[in-house]
Amino acid sequence: MNRESFAAGERLVSPAYVRQGCEARRSHEHLIRLLLEKGKCPEDGWDESTLELFLHELAIMDSNNFLGNCGVGEREGRVASALVARRHYRFIHGIGRSGDISAVQPKAAGSSLLNKITNSLVLDIIKLAGVHTVTNCFVVPMATGMSLTLCFLTLRHKRPKAKYIIWPRIDQKSCFKSMITAGFEPVVIENVLEGDELRTDLKAVEAKVQELGPDYVLCVHSTTSCFAPRVPDRLEELAVICANYGIPHIVNNAYGVQSSKCMHLIQQGARVGRIDAFVQSLDKNFMVPVGGAIIAGFNDSFIQEISKMYPGRASASPSLDVLITLLSLGSNGYKKLLKERKEMFSYLSTQLKKLSEGYGERLLHTPHNPISLAMTLKTLDKHCDKAVTQLGSMLFTRQVSGARVVPLGSVQTVSGYTFRGFMSHTNNYPCAYLNAASAIGMKTQDVDLFIKRLDKCLKTVRKEQNKESDVSGVGNYDKTADVDIEAMALKLDNVLLDTSQDSS
Amino acid sequence: MNRESFAAGERLVSPAYVRQGCEARRSHEHLIRLLLEKGKCPEDGWDESTLELFLHELAIMDSNNFLGNCGVGEREGRVASALVARRHYRFIHGIGRSGDISAVQPKAAGSSLLNKITNSLVLDIIKLAGVHTVTNCFVVPMATGMSLTLCFLTLRHKRPKAKYIIWPRIDQKSCFKSMITAGFEPVVIENVLEGDELRTDLKAVEAKVQELGPDYVLCVHSTTSCFAPRVPDRLEELAVICANYGIPHIVNNAYGVQSSKCMHLIQQGARVGRIDAFVQSLDKNFMVPVGGAIIAGFNDSFIQEISKMYPGRASASPSLDVLITLLSLGSNGYKKLLKERKEMFSYLSTQLKKLSEGYGERLLHTPHNPISLAMTLKTLDKHCDKAVTQLGSMLFTRQVSGARVVPLGSVQTVSGYTFRGFMSHTNNYPCAYLNAASAIGMKTQDVDLFIKRLDKCLKTVRKEQNKESDVSGVGNYDKTADVDIEAMALKLDNVLLDTSQDSS
Amino acid sequence: MNRESFAAGERLVSPAYVRQGCEARRSHEHLIRLLLEKGKCPEDGWDESTLELFLHELAIMDSNNFLGNCGVGEREGRVASALVARRHYRFIHGIGRSGDISAVQPKAAGSSLLNKITNSLVLDIIKLAGVHTVTNCFVVPMATGMSLTLCFLTLRHKRPKAKYIIWPRIDQKSCFKSMITAGFEPVVIENVLEGDELRTDLKAVEAKVQELGPDYVLCVHSTTSCFAPRVPDRLEELAVICANYGIPHIVNNAYGVQSSKCMHLIQQGARVGRIDAFVQSLDKNFMVPVGGAIIAGFNDSFIQEISKMYPGRASASPSLDVLITLLSLGSNGYKKLLKERKEMFSYLSTQLKKLSEGYGERLLHTPHNPISLAMTLKTLDKHCDKAVTQLGSMLFTRQVSGARVVPLGSVQTVSGYTFRGFMSHTNNYPCAYLNAASAIGMKTQDVDLFIKRLDKCLKTVRKEQNKESDVSGVGNYDKTADVDIEAMALKLDNVLLDTSQDSS
Amino acid sequence: MNRESFAAGERLVSPAYVRQGCEARRSHEHLIRLLLEKGKCPEDGWDESTLELFLHELAIMDSNNFLGNCGVGEREGRVASALVARRHYRFIHGIGRSGDISAVQPKAAGSSLLNKITNSLVLDIIKLAGVHTVTNCFVVPMATGMSLTLCFLTLRHKRPKAKYIIWPRIDQKSCFKSMITAGFEPVVIENVLEGDELRTDLKAVEAKVQELGPDYVLCVHSTTSCFAPRVPDRLEELAVICANYGIPHIVNNAYGVQSSKCMHLIQQGARVGRIDAFVQSLDKNFMVPVGGAIIAGFNDSFIQEISKMYPGRASASPSLDVLITLLSLGSNGYKKLLKERKEMFSYLSTQLKKLSEGYGERLLHTPHNPISLAMTLKTLDKHCDKAVTQLGSMLFTRQVSGARVVPLGSVQTVSGYTFRGFMSHTNNYPCAYLNAASAIGMKTQDVDLFIKRLDKCLKTVRKEQNKESDVSGVGNYDKTADVDIEAMALKLDNVLLDTSQDSS
């Protein structure tokens, strides 16, 4: 409503009241103006009213929402379904242009603003989360794996001889495939066991660089967030090696924004050595739907090069999600989530320790992993090799999601590469174990339910083991009320693998 | 509501009425069942009520919506903002798994079903649109360019020696960059002028294959939908060449699904020769927001290989959009849109012809292009080389979107390759011209407004030209009321280029 | 977004594009301004984008949406559920104040504007629909019956002696109860049969006025829209009688806005005689949910008196619905609906005539009723008195809604008054019949389905009658596939009555 | 989705996952079933997913949502605007039928269920809130005042001689008008001052009953929730008088559900004497939009009589709002809100006491009022009679809503009755004062902001008073920065009255 509208309004109802309403409007506008001028995440979250007003104002700046527009091109932002238009707040043109995913669209000033602001907000949050010297980043509507691929493809043009990527082993398929897809040969560096932890073998990395020749190495591809007992790579030392040999360094920081430790590693790596880009998932760090990632770095022009590598326009949906989320939370809200996550980690750790000891097991000592925990399953594994997988299946049918059981000796071939001890990040970990993680958004109730159900499952498995060892019979399998025996029978192993590898 | 709920309902209100309500529910369920069993697009569109019931039913099958779920993984589908959850109908887990974008997720049976059904529906529609023998396809949450890149990256693993991609020239940045990004060297085949049309130079293609050696050619990368006076490539003949030399053939069918001619070309090419995959945009063919594409083909296992190349999970958003759209329209609704588009093409053609002749110009004769038209701008260009760009700018400020003016002699460098006559698909087209297209969803009103505004703009430009030629003065530029002179002055050329290249 | 925000936007993306977006915004603002200044229904409907922007702008003028508000009263517009807030577009304060439902609320300038504008728009539409000299009206969140009660309660204060309301009989419960609820004694004037039509007995009305004495008569309560074979009351003549005797005249125009004939009667009545207020349903005339009515009249101060009679605030929901609807349709859209309704009436009439003659029945000749039609059920009734009710039940179970079968001789007592021949508006109509109406929003498909199903039902009933008359048996009742015999058996009469009286 | 759909789903994705999704669905269904079977508010609130599934399931039971429905009546639940349909979850038919607002609609089994369940839930909550022996209630889509009118109109039919309603004075317009609108003569009983409190004059009530004669008294109309220093009426004693004289007793419990004290008074009154019905606002007790009330009582048949008095159908909107709200909160959520309100009352009381003493004022001692507080404004009033109204205006412009300043000696005429000392519930209260209330949903932040702003305003007013008394000048009025002097000048008294009477 403009001045004339307010004047007309004053004639319909009392001027004093309309004036107050008009005044109230100004406070919404003030927040919007601050955002556009500063490009920073507001401290306090916006309420839905301001947020929707803002999105609405942006949307009407796009040509598909012009009242007098006539379109004679091949892409005019027309929408067949009102449901679809509505769920996208009428942003239809996506983000970016042919040449560059960060470029401005003439047809869509509103979407272009949305894109710029989102990237600006996300940059602000990355700094706040610990990487203070980051200089540029952008949201890309692809998951972490494909985003890593994009980084590698960009490096190809800078390093024409390179064929190899040096990669300290982490048993997660998509980061492995990101290299394959980009057309490079991963050089797997096995981890070393230090206490219970699996850590980067720095000597092996450096030896491999020398063996292959720096020019033939596209980059080192390291990882922060990972399942215990593996811990984040030694980023500082890797960054120094990269700097020394002039090799690019790409960090897979998938769900590391939520951990100050992971972010600190990146900050330190960049300070003392070389980190070219670090890639993080939107969904895992910002509680939005799957499908977006942030590519960030310390060198403005390299990040721009990557953004120019994405050919064509792209979905604005992940950007919109993270924008809504950050404006709703405010930086204070996000900080609160980070704090709560840390507390949940302690709580989960304590509870899992207690439980494990009750069963003659123990919590693996992995102080360098700030997110994931592992509890041994030695006694289970001892009696019967099916017992570990059975436990995984039972947890799944009891609606415990995200718990991973890792048996010994599983072998898997991915894109032609064979991994022994797959899922445990090493050929031969000393024992089977179970993983649980404290991720952003976790609640006390999650921990309590998990511990309760895990306890129940362990009891059941034990009882069955005892019976089997007593009578070594097949027929006398006790059908306890709440175990879906049929589901378990149904290709137990498959179900298990599906559940336990459930990470991208 | 289950049987017990209905029984309870019957005790609260009359059984006869509840029973009828229950009966009515069955008709919604019947539609859902048919969809799941047949996997085909329903003939008649569903109403919102059935559609939302269906989406709701799917969503509650995902673990993030389980009432009793406890999550202890690093990715549990938690959402911070209720607005975000709602706009995604609470589908948070995305689609695909680490290994494969078409794979089923244990944590998300509902999202997995959504993904399968969407792909099945889209396959049905591709057949209906003319490619009857297509065997497999999948929706990928990336725009056309990046999807082409994915195809090229997949081929790399099958053709280790290949370095080149043979590409009949089309002046559109993202399809050119799709090859660069994948790490290949585009081999540009200039088009030949036949009458007004620019057509594929088949001899040059074959000669280049022989010159480079088939093994060194990754694939031929051809195009259907394009701006006049370029016309769709000669797919049949290209497909035969590919078959003869054992070279893969990838077709960029960006906005071709909407044209029976483009689809027929693909069908014929596959029948007589070789087409490995054809890629189309979701937004341009299905009136959904930018951000998705369909990769389709005739060989099941090759399409699966591509889907397995995508590392990690992906956004379900584009799939959801196209699912909602197709279920709302039904196949009859989609066919109606196709029919209307064809009619609009005739109407636009007639109107543009009439207008152009009034100005001493003519409509270029491009019968092989079923979507885009071009009108000469000879008289404009003759007087003043700025006039053509000025026309583009004027149309832009008058909310005509998608019209492209193409001046003579523009030169552009893309990723190190220099294109003379950029935007005209050839080094030296005989005259400047203006493009307009009839795309799906266009309305009579779009055509009428466009013709009216174009007429007005041409009048204004002419008048100014006459004045200038009369007095050859600078100061007496007539400031007509509705021309934003300032905007025009402001780097006119840039604006023009921005507007006219506005295609991805 | 204010000027500073746009300036900041120009620094983020190109100024030319932002300026165009800003320009586009002005066209939305222009529509809003016109609405506020003129208070008339726009000719062309608004698109959702403008509509939601407008509602959003209004809502932020209410104190519950002030960012800095602190509430220390007993009613502060707080909302517990985000779903509820959202569905009301955050209008929480309702409309009106203690003293007057049309009054302005200091706490809610936006809701107050909404209320004023809605009433203004509705007045505009009433004029457009035929009552050109109406001077005032307001939307009240009560259905027609309760709104009539409010009119009678207002009149009570002006006519202290009055005890009676003269009411030409119409067999519809809520309008009868509206008088009882207000505490008056309805004086029923039986209709006279003219041809097939039941019309107002003017002589009886005048005689009754004289008999009771004008001062003891609160008002005449007449009706326009009604089920055939009753036709709208002779409003002109009634209005003249009222004027002559100084008796108020309240017209129940429940679903009459949709018919130019009904509106014309009111206009004429007011011109030649006296009409104090006419009341119409929102849902039946404007295709919104049940729950609102419009009280309109020709004397500004009397309509204000009624609005001041409503004690306390009221729901804004019906006002919001009709506002959204009218702004979406525009006056052109509403006129189109009126035109289509008229056409459907002709079509239904033709089809029903044809069908009835095929069964030896006929369409009653009721040219004065512009909405409802009646077809005789003589042959059905002849054989078996259950057959008529059975037909009603069969139509109900076949999802034909709104068809009323009217058997002979039904007697009903309402609030202590006994009506013979209830539902037929007269003690003894010559034959049983079936009603169908052409109401606003009806589609060809409704008519076709109705005719088809009615045909099928009549066939089935006939067949059963023949069998019964052949063998006069009970056991050989033929169980045809799609007739829910059980439901029919289940207190058929009750179901029938329920269905057929289904009007408020 | 039915069994066949799930089976089809199992063929598309893994059976184990579909089965788990199907299992998860059952937990939603279980909640719905419990609700329908028990008719009680669930202890724990439902999440949006279950809630929307439930509403969706109900809606598809209404004939307007039948896929195969054909409508030939005058009211078929057609909706012109998709926005409107959506915001009502496609419930279009409203609630009730011609005869009875609680009756079941044949065309709308879903809406009918919604209505029954809502009334059942609300009854459950009234019991929980303290009136354990309530037997029946219903939600009516009218505010408290009109609902009281409906009660009085119902009583009229049972007490033909009655002309008077005995009403212990409470200065709130709509409850006074509710009697006028119903056509009765209010007999005002002045309150007596006990300490600071204004309480029911029981002797005067009984004397008036005897004077008028019990048969001529329609009922006693008492009030619980009210502004301090008036306190809730002595319900027990009034109820006994009513029982003794055989006079009905209607209680205005406007915002009393939120207070256990008010509810206890009603429970006690009904136990020891006579209470026929008690009426409460939906918005003030359940944090929903304005527009609904609950009429409740202890005699099933009397409550039914009232519900049968409402002629015609009615809006389902208020019922839907309260249903959504209660299911979202659960009884535990509602209890928590009640508890928090009580705590806020203590907090507000403490803070206001402290503040008042700092200014030489005091908090009135009104222990019987559990919701509203009053602080004297003696020192303000002493100097200048405008100062009190100025304070009200200043609070209003500072976005303090709901605070009421009550000056001495204001006289107001409502519907012909003159009230001296209007707003203070008595002719001559000893001093001017300011009201603030702790209503459900109030937050600490509200109290803190209020105290802060009130402090600031008092300071400003004092300073101005001092200046004025110093120089007794008019011209040297100090224009402090944040006081909108102009607005104040603008009919200060009017604004003040508007703000301070702002209660319905």
Side-chain angles (χ1 to χ4, degrees), chain B residues 17 20 83 86 396 498, chain C residues 17 19-20 83 86 396 498:
Chain B
Y17 309 154
Q20 199 178 29
L83 285 182
R86 167 178 307 278
F396 176 74
D498 279 342
Chain C
Y17 308 155
R19 229 172 289 155
Q20 198 178 31
L83 285 183
R86 167 177 306 278
F396 175 74
D498 279 342

Side-chain angles (χ1 to χ4, degrees), chain C residues 98-393:
Chain C
S98 321
D100 183 353
I101 200 180
S102 301
V104 166
Q105 294 192 52
K107 278 184 190 172
S111 292
S112 300
L113 270 173
L114 182 151
N115 191 21
K116 292 277 181 193
I117 292 162
T118 304
N119 289 341
S120 180
L121 247 68
V122 165
L123 189 72
D124 189 36
I125 290 291
I126 289 178
K127 287 177 186 168
L128 173 155
V131 183
H132 312 298
T133 61
V134 65
T135 59
N136 199 350
C137 78
F138 65 99
V139 168
V140 64
M142 305 191 297
T144 315
M146 194 69 190
S147 300
L148 287 166
T149 298
L150 191 68
C151 294
F152 302 143
L153 290 173
T154 308
L155 286 176
R156 174 196 297 275
H157 293 267
K158 305 168 81 85
R159 298 177 71 75
K161 288 194 203 152
K163 289 171 58 182
Y164 305 104
I165 296 178
I166 290 181
W167 179 66
R169 175 172 172 185
I170 168 167
D171 289 2
Q172 200 270 342
K173 279 183 189 171
S174 68
C175 63
F176 183 73
K177 294 196 82 167
S178 71
M179 301 180 283
I180 300 290
T181 297
F184 294 95
E185 193 172 309
V187 178
V188 183
I189 307 295
E190 290 291 333
N191 296 300
V192 290
L193 190 66
E194 300 186 11
D196 287 339
E197 294 185 335
L198 289 165
R199 307 199 65 181
T200 324
D201 187 341
L202 292 167
K203 283 190 187 150
V205 169
E206 189 158 12
K208 203 50 125 177
V209 168
Q210 290 168 342
E211 178 194 326
L212 300 169
D215 283 0
Y216 295 91
V217 175
L218 185 83
C219 65
V220 170
H221 173 198
S222 64
T223 305
T224 56
S225 51
C226 59
F227 289 110
R230 195 195 189 283
V231 300
D233 277 320
R234 294 178 184 274
L235 282 209
E236 285 190 48
E237 295 86 341
L238 285 175
V240 169
I241 293 173
C242 287
N244 290 346
Y245 289 92
I247 297 175
H249 185 188
I250 305 291
V251 182
N252 174 6
N253 187 40
Y255 46 103
V257 181
Q258 67 191 287
S259 153
S260 56
K261 275 195 192 171
C262 292
M263 294 305 265
H264 183 68
L265 282 175
I266 293 170
Q267 178 61 57
Q268 282 303 95
R271 200 179 53 81
V272 303
R274 172 172 183 173
I275 289 180
D276 295 70
F278 55 106
V279 177
Q280 35 269 313
S281 157
L282 276 188
D283 59 289
K284 288 179 189 153
N285 292 298
F286 295 99
M287 301 175 74
V288 293
V290 163
I294 304 163
I295 301 178
F298 304 90
N299 180 319
D300 223 39
S301 74
F302 179 58
I303 299 303
Q304 279 172 27
E305 274 178 68
I306 304 175
S307 94
K308 282 182 184 149
M309 258 300 133
Y310 189 101
R313 281 180 185 72
S315 171
S317 204
S319 295
L320 182 54
D321 288 338
V322 77
L323 178 64
I324 292 174
T325 301
L326 289 179
L327 289 178
S328 301
L329 288 172
S331 57
N332 287 337
Y334 191 68
K335 279 191 233 167
K336 189 160 167 276
L337 282 173
L338 296 183
K339 190 166 155 283
E340 287 170 356
R341 193 206 68 79
K342 219 172 219 169
E343 291 162 4
M344 274 305 117
F345 182 75
S346 298
Y347 182 58
L348 176 64
S349 172
T350 312
Q351 295 305 98
L352 204 55
K353 191 167 189 301
K354 211 184 296 172
L355 179 87
S356 61
E357 289 167 0
Y359 283 91
E361 302 285 355
R362 69 187 185 83
L363 191 68
L364 291 176
H365 185 62
T366 54
H368 287 94
N369 194 318
I371 296 171
S372 172
L373 294 163
M375 157 190 167
T376 63
L377 294 178
K378 281 179 195 171
T379 59
L380 213 69
D381 198 36
K382 201 172 56 187
H383 287 83
C384 160
D385 59 338
K386 288 271 185 212
V388 171
T389 56
Q390 185 188 345
L391 178 66
S393 173

